[in-house]
Amino acid sequence: MTARPRGADGGRGDPAEPIRETDAATSPGPGAGSGSAAGGRGSGATGGSGGNGGSGVGGSGGGALLVVGDVVTDVVARHRGPLASGTDTVSVIRTLPGGAGANVACWAAHRGCPDVRLLGRVGTESAAWHERELTACGVRPRLVVDPQAATGTVICLVDTGAAAERTFLTDSGASLRLGPEDWSDALLDGVGRLHLSGYLLFSESGRALVGTASAAARARGVPVSLDPASAGFLADLGVDRFLTLVEGMDVLLPSRAEACLLTGLLDGAAAAAALSRVVPLVVSKEGVDGALVARDGAVLVRVPAAPATPLDTTGAGDAFTGAFLAALLACADEMAAAAEGCRAGARAVERVGGRPPARGEGAVPTTHRTHAG
């Protein structure tokens, strides 16, 4: 479902109408129109309702996964070696659906979560395309359409050397305008876990939404997780401010760089342990070194990375997060869930872009290098 929240003056209006399924299904690409519905912000989630899943940090079974976060268009440019300043650099360029929140939702569905929902905000120029792509991955999208801001765009520069490392140029666009006005407590109906993209913390409206959604989830006993998302943006936000914003959350899923930034420690294990004194369960994504699971001030286990030959590391951490949360909802313990995350991260780096294959696409075999996310 795609809802339209604002009139031309930017005000909030009446409940929105959904885009017709035929509009989304026939949209040819990111520049296509987004359907004919108009109106104000909608409320409630697309999909089922019912009781919430069990509460608790790990092993919480049942219920849907609700992801709240960014939906963007990725422009992935794969080049070999340094960029040639002032002239041309030969690249292979593709335009793909992306966004950390959307990627997490898609990987959770891909790894077996039967009910994955996503709340995000997009521009009119690509709303139907994004809805179609999310649906093809098994996600039930609830996209709010912003008539004033375009869908966010991220230029992903991927060096095609052995590590396939990437650098992002980010214009968050409409996703920065996702806010409490786009939230309804009914979105939690039937939800067993709520996951928040850390990119929400980098705008005033997003931070307000994090507070609103987290409070609503806690009131229902729904565990809340967050992925810090970006070491660069975290540095701008400030460590103390971030740690205040995540108080009361159940699970934190940082990268090693983010964990070290948030603690001031150089050792990844020490950083994960320290963070788990702030958030009860910390799962630190260590790239080729796998993942660390820490709880209540101590590292419980290091999970090795799964075999992979990297092609593009974009979205590897999102893949880990989606698979990890899907496993928790299927009643796995933290170690087994982290192993699922490592396997998904390995699968992700062997694809271009941050998404899993859509349903019906062929499988991608894994081979002999390692990467976790």
Side-chain angles (χ1 to χ4, degrees):
M1 172 182 284
T2 308
R4 299 175 180 275
R6 299 177 187 260
D9 61 356
R12 303 285 178 174
D14 297 325
E17 301 172 26
I19 283 184
R20 298 188 304 272
E21 288 185 8
T22 51
D23 292 329
T26 58
S27 173
S34 56
S36 60
R41 180 184 65 82
S43 63
T46 58
S49 60
N52 297 315
S55 61
V57 175
S60 173
L65 173 65
L66 172 62
V67 180
V68 180
D70 46 318
V71 180
V72 305
T73 300
D74 284 344
V75 179
V76 181
R78 300 180 64 244
H79 61 94
R80 179 172 290 278
L83 297 176
S85 178
T87 186
D88 295 324
T89 299
V90 174
S91 305
V92 176
I93 300 174
R94 294 178 63 186
T95 299
L96 299 166
N103 292 345
V104 167
C106 289
W107 279 100
H110 182 72
R111 302 303 284 194
C113 188
D115 187 353
V116 182
R117 310 170 191 180
L118 173 71
L119 173 65
R121 193 179 191 93
V122 294
T124 58
E125 82 291 344
S126 59
W129 178 63
H130 278 292
E131 183 172 46
R132 182 191 68 194
E133 294 294 321
L134 288 162
T135 301
C137 283
V139 175
R140 298 166 63 184
R142 169 73 165 76
L143 301 181
V144 182
V145 178
D146 192 321
Q148 295 184 327
T151 301
T153 300
V154 176
I155 298 175
C156 310
L157 304 176
V158 181
D159 189 331
T160 59
E165 283 299 337
R166 73 282 189 272
T167 300
F168 297 142
L169 302 175
T170 302
D171 176 357
S172 296
S175 63
L176 282 178
R177 292 157 62 90
L178 190 65
E181 301 89 347
D182 303 317
W183 175 262
S184 166
D185 287 356
L187 289 165
L188 290 169
D189 290 350
V191 167
R193 284 188 173 270
L194 170 66
H195 179 72
L196 304 171
S197 169
Y199 282 105
L200 293 170
L201 299 179
F202 307 134
S203 70
E204 183 176 352
S205 62
R207 289 189 290 273
L209 175 56
V210 166
T212 298
S214 297
R218 283 194 294 271
R220 295 193 182 202
V222 175
V224 182
S225 57
L226 183 137
D227 184 328
S230 168
F233 287 165
L234 274 180
D236 293 337
L237 178 68
V239 170
D240 290 342
R241 193 176 189 187
F242 174 87
L243 294 177
T244 298
L245 288 165
V246 300
E247 286 180 0
M249 293 189 183
D250 302 283
V251 185
L252 190 67
L253 294 126
S255 67
R256 175 163 47 193
E258 292 157 0
C260 290
L261 173 64
L262 289 169
T263 59
L265 300 171
L266 298 179
D267 179 73
L275 280 176
S276 69
R277 298 185 184 99
V278 179
V279 177
L281 178 63
V282 172
V283 183
S284 179
K285 295 168 282 189
E286 305 281 303
V288 296
D289 294 323
L292 294 169
V293 179
R295 183 195 286 278
D296 300 329
V299 173
L300 302 180
V301 66
R302 179 185 292 275
V303 178
T309 300
L311 180 64
D312 174 8
T313 57
T314 302
D318 302 332
F320 180 101
T321 296
F324 176 83
L325 295 173
L328 288 186
L329 279 166
C331 297
D333 62 26
E334 292 97 335
M335 181 177 176
E340 277 296 306
C342 287
R343 285 189 283 271
R347 180 82 181 273
V349 301
E350 296 192 318
R351 295 179 56 81
V352 175
R355 298 277 177 90
R359 293 182 173 180
E361 284 188 34
V364 178
T366 55
T367 48
H368 61 274
R369 287 179 62 99
T370 59
H371 208 289

